[in-house]
Amino acid sequence: MSTELHTLTLAGMQSAMQAGEVSSRELVDHSLQRIEAVNPEINAFLQVDTDGARQAADAADAVRSAGHAGPLTGLPMAHKDIFCTEGLKTTCGSRMLENFVAPYNATVVDRLNQAGMVMVGKANMDEFAMGSSNENSYFGAVGNPWNPEFVPGGSSGGSAAAVAARLVPAATATDTGGSIRQPAAFCGITGIKPTYGRVSRYGMIAFASSLDQGGVVAATAEDCALMLTAMSGFDERDSTSADVAVPDFSAGLNESIKGLRIGLPAQYFGNGLDAAVGDAVHAAVKELEALGAIVSEVELPNQHLCIPAYYVVAPAEASSNLSRFDGVRFGHRCDNPADLEDLYKRSRGEGFGAEVVRRIMIGTYTLSTGYYDAYYKKAQQIRRLISDDFDKAFESVDVVLGPTTPTTAFKRGAKTDDPVAMYLNDLYTVSANLSGLPGLSMPCGLVDGLPVGVQLVGRAFDEARILSVAHQFQQVTDWHQKMPASV
Amino acid sequence: MSWEVVIGLEIHAQLATQSKIFSGASTAFGAEPNTQACAVDLGLPGVLPVMNAAAVEMAVKFALATDAEIGRTSVFARKNYFYPDLPKGYQISQMALPIVGEGKVAVMQSDGTEKVVGLTRAHLEEDAGKSVHDQFSDATGIDLNRAGTPLLEIVSEPDMRSSAEAVAYARQIHSLVRYIDICDGNMQEGSFRCDANVSIRQKGDTELGTRTEIKNVNSFRFLERAIEFEIERQIDVVEGGGTVVQETRLYDADKDETRSMRSKEEANDYRYFPDPDLPPLIVEESFIDSVRQGMPELPQARRTRFVESLGLPAADAAALTVDRQTADFFEATLDESFKPRLAANWMTGELFARMNKEDVSLDAVPVTAEQVKGMLIRMQDGTISAKTGKQVFDELWNGAASADAVIADKGLKQISDTGAIEAMVDEVLAANPGQVEEYRGGKDKLMSFFVGQVMRASKGKANPAQLNDLLKKKLEG
């Protein structure tokens, strides 16, 4: 059985452990072996905690023997390297934090530890979560397991590639403008960005605080539901976390979608959408209709303002959030600074990569006196319009559906010289961040051997709904079971 | 030319919370460097600020004490700039929507008149850490213990017209924040710091002149000198044909002058924007009500009550309400058996004089209000005279347990037995026939001689009133 262990889903591993067919230690050892064998090719992991993982697995097995196992006890997973892990390096994909070890755990890390999950390592990512291709990592690009010549998407490219290559059954990820959903789509897996405030941001290194949200990537919606239930909930250490009851997302998965109203925004199927991707999404819609869903068109009239608004708000907040990386207290410090200004300029200049510098400069500009009203304030007004559009759409439908990305994964290097082309990857995903709504991407096809993702956007705090729609879809389709040939 | 001076103050009052404004670290002063700074204060990656409710309560107290508007929805903003003792690269402050809006405060001037000074606003913000320049030969040290300490920045209208008015206002605010227990007022430790905006204009002008801002003055004396210097400097500049430049200046106490720190052109663009880590702060009516319930009597109301209900002279009432501690001490000395005025006289006379002489503040006075009260009761019931009272007070200051104990131990009980005093009077008159003759011949002044002799015979314990009566009766009768 051992050679096939990695092809199990999180839920499959859970059943196997519960049935006594496999131990956590065996699952974790198998995961560590897979990482050792496969990671050199795709660079999905920045750090592997072999000893820590084995100890945690043994502890989990002991807990299970004692009869105290919970639903996640002993299951292997990886954390995106944006979540602080006490005693273990947290780099955020940046030279700036190459040797940074946080003296605390992120709330998400604490909660999954308490649930008994076993972290095997930290996943690669675009530097400070800025990027759509995982080519912005200081520690090297990540290869798409479907074809390492192609990008896995970003910024959670390491998490998505690790799951797609079946190195781990699930991984945490974060999403500021699409960073969970776009790599999930490119890698043929399922990923959910919950409602803003659902998952604590404490200990999750900030990119754009009003947009950042932690979530999960896994093979299936069922697996996402398992993890999300444990990750979610109010945290007094994060003032923006929502004090809203968290349902057991697994419990609602089997709810029928008969009569469910699905809205297709015309604006998601227009210019810029690859025809083959559009076809795959329409085919998914047909499957859902067959399951009893009622499909109609909806309007998101301000959709065209999403990218401009996003690329004002996100860099503005980032420019301020990243000011703390100044070479004074932690992180990269230049050699022999001549004076304070030299210390700042060289430490930051050396510590940050090109995309991070670009966004800091954009953000600094848009917040400046005389530009604030024209940019930042205007962008915030646009956010309100976009939220209003969704509110209006949700008067007539329960879920908004569209492609996750305009195209499938592109070749490495194809867009690195054209930031705007890169930013357009987020065309369909940023609206969920700007409005704070939950969004999920799941696989719905293959085009030229590369996965296609379909996105579901739900009402605020209605993750249960989009998870159940995805689960029902995955009961009658097998896109989520398709794996790269190398697996 | 005749110049009018226009002054507005920005006062940073450090709020007396146990923990910091956005973290659980202690705010206690004087700890080893960097021992009271947690991950949030250090600005480590991923950590987030959480509002300290005690700081909000204190800001609301201030609003209630100054009759100010309370911002029901206030917003925290980031003020972005780089400095080594500013860990996050931004200070969390309030900009467009502060928690305290327009208010006013009645300021007692040195001539006894009152002037109402307008308050523009007061907002919550966090303090920065400290750069330590003098401990290392080739480096600057950073102490982040102070980083994240809650401050209330109190901004006045440009209503002051002299350095004396500015100082009177600053003292009034200083007294007020201590009165309502939101700031310890310790200026040496930086708990109360003033920035002064100073400009001049020709008398009769309605437009304000160009102002300069003098930063971080930490004593009232320096505040007065800094403003005085700055007024003179600006007048010299203008009368010399120049123009005042808008800039930030620093007061150098050693040289007694202000110096330019940075001009408007060099000023930072702080790129304020609402802090996305902190939702708008909503202050509910019920919260304001609960704060109102807990408000102490304000100094002005107390002063009025001391005059109207306790019958104190206005000057005494003012002196005894100078701060809450003094007023509390005074009220704790009161007893039904004597008039409040007796206690007021004692405090403004004996106690204040002694405090001055020993150079101690009220909290360092070794005598409790309860002990003073015991002593005043014995003065009122005639057990001791006012003069003996001084001796008793002295013993209390030196550690005696109570007035009664001192009176018993030292045998200070006044002799009020008429027979005993009469015997002593007879003895003295018999021993000094010549003086008796002279007195009866019209030399009234000799009365004090007889009083002194009898007092000496009684070792100072004869009841003075009885003694006087008896002497008069014997000599004239």
Side-chain angles (χ1 to χ4, degrees), chain B residues 187-199:
Chain B
M187 298 181 82
Q188 265 103 48
E189 292 176 3
S191 301
F192 191 90
R193 317 192 284 267
C194 303
D195 300 344
N197 287 303
V198 179
S199 65

Side-chain angles (χ1 to χ4, degrees), chain A residues 5-196:
Chain A
L5 271 182
H6 60 275
T7 61
L8 293 175
T9 62
L10 199 65
M13 290 182 185
Q14 179 197 46
S15 308
M17 274 199 293
Q18 283 166 352
E21 293 163 13
V22 68
S23 67
S24 171
R25 179 58 187 262
E26 286 171 281
L27 288 171
V28 166
D29 277 340
H30 186 70
S31 171
L32 292 168
Q33 283 162 24
R34 292 263 321 149
I35 294 168
E36 202 180 335
V38 177
N39 197 53
E41 195 187 356
I42 60 172
N43 198 28
F45 276 89
L46 294 176
Q47 204 182 169
V48 179
D49 185 19
T50 307
D51 294 343
R54 286 185 172 141
Q55 280 168 24
D58 289 342
D61 284 330
V63 166
R64 185 172 300 282
S65 307
H68 300 310
L72 294 171
T73 302
L75 291 168
M77 55 83 64
H79 278 299
K80 183 177 181 177
D81 207 20
I82 198 169
F83 289 101
C84 289
T85 44
E86 188 177 347
L88 209 62
K89 281 196 281 188
T90 300
T91 69
C92 223
S94 180
R95 184 186 185 193
M96 184 59 85
L97 293 177
E98 191 171 4
N99 296 304
F100 175 70
V101 178
Y104 45 83
N105 276 332
T107 297
V108 163
V109 173
D110 270 341
R111 289 193 174 169
L112 293 179
N113 281 348
Q114 280 153 19
M117 286 201 103
V118 179
M119 181 198 66
V120 297
K122 307 284 297 275
N124 204 343
M125 56 183 286
D126 278 307
E127 185 179 8
F128 286 104
M130 297 175 190
S132 305
S133 67
N134 219 117
E135 292 169 291
N136 296 336
S137 169
Y138 174 69
F139 306 100
V142 174
N144 189 322
W146 292 84
N147 183 342
E149 298 287 298
F150 286 73
V151 303
S155 66
S156 310
S159 297
V163 171
R166 300 309 194 259
L167 307 186
V168 282
T172 56
T174 61
D175 191 317
T176 305
S179 282
I180 289 176
R181 293 158 288 157
Q182 185 252 16
F186 280 12
C187 289
I189 59 170
T190 307
I192 182 166
K193 175 203 92 78
T195 312
Y196 184 80

Side-chain angles (χ1 to χ4, degrees), chain A residues 84 97 100 102-104 196 200-206 208-210 236-240 316-317 319-326 328-330 340 344 348 363-365 367-370 372 376, chain B residues 22 34 38-51 78-92 131 140 142 144 268-279:
Chain A
C84 289
L97 293 177
F100 175 70
Y104 45 83
Y196 184 80
S200 168
R201 293 189 297 115
Y202 183 85
M204 189 179 107
I205 298 176
S209 312
S210 72
E236 61 179 13
R237 292 182 298 181
D238 174 4
S239 307
T240 63
E317 293 181 8
S319 72
S320 175
N321 282 333
L322 270 58
S323 294
R324 68 187 61 199
F325 305 104
D326 57 5
V328 174
R329 298 166 312 286
F330 54 81
L340 184 59
Y344 285 149
R348 287 169 67 79
T364 304
Y365 177 82
L367 287 176
S368 300
T369 305
Y372 178 87
Y376 190 79
Chain B
F22 299 121
N34 298 310
C38 68
V40 173
D41 308 319
L42 295 174
L44 289 182
V47 299
L48 296 167
V50 176
M51 185 73 224
R78 293 185 184 177
K79 178 179 181 180
N80 295 282
Y81 65 98
F82 285 99
Y83 203 69
D85 59 26
L86 185 72
K88 297 185 295 296
Y90 57 84
Q91 177 195 30
I92 304 177
S131 293
T140 294
I142 305 290
L144 294 177
N268 283 308
D269 181 347
Y270 292 120
R271 290 171 283 122
Y272 279 100
F273 75 106
D275 190 334
D277 288 333
L278 291 161

Side-chain angles (χ1 to χ4, degrees), chain B residues 420-440:
Chain B
I421 298 173
E422 191 170 1
M424 286 187 270
V425 168
D426 288 344
E427 221 170 281
V428 166
L429 297 186
N432 297 289
Q435 280 84 348
V436 172
E437 208 55 40
E438 283 178 51
Y439 180 86
R440 287 182 174 147

Side-chain angles (χ1 to χ4, degrees), chain B residues 11 59 62-63 66 68-69 71 74 94 97-103 119-125 151-156:
Chain B
I11 292 173
F62 181 79
T66 53
E69 288 169 28
S74 65
Q94 295 191 307
L97 294 169
I99 185 162
V100 182
E102 278 183 33
L119 299 178
T120 314
R121 58 183 281 161
H123 63 257
L124 286 166
E125 62 183 25
L151 300 177
L152 187 67
E153 181 174 334
I154 303 157
V155 182
S156 84

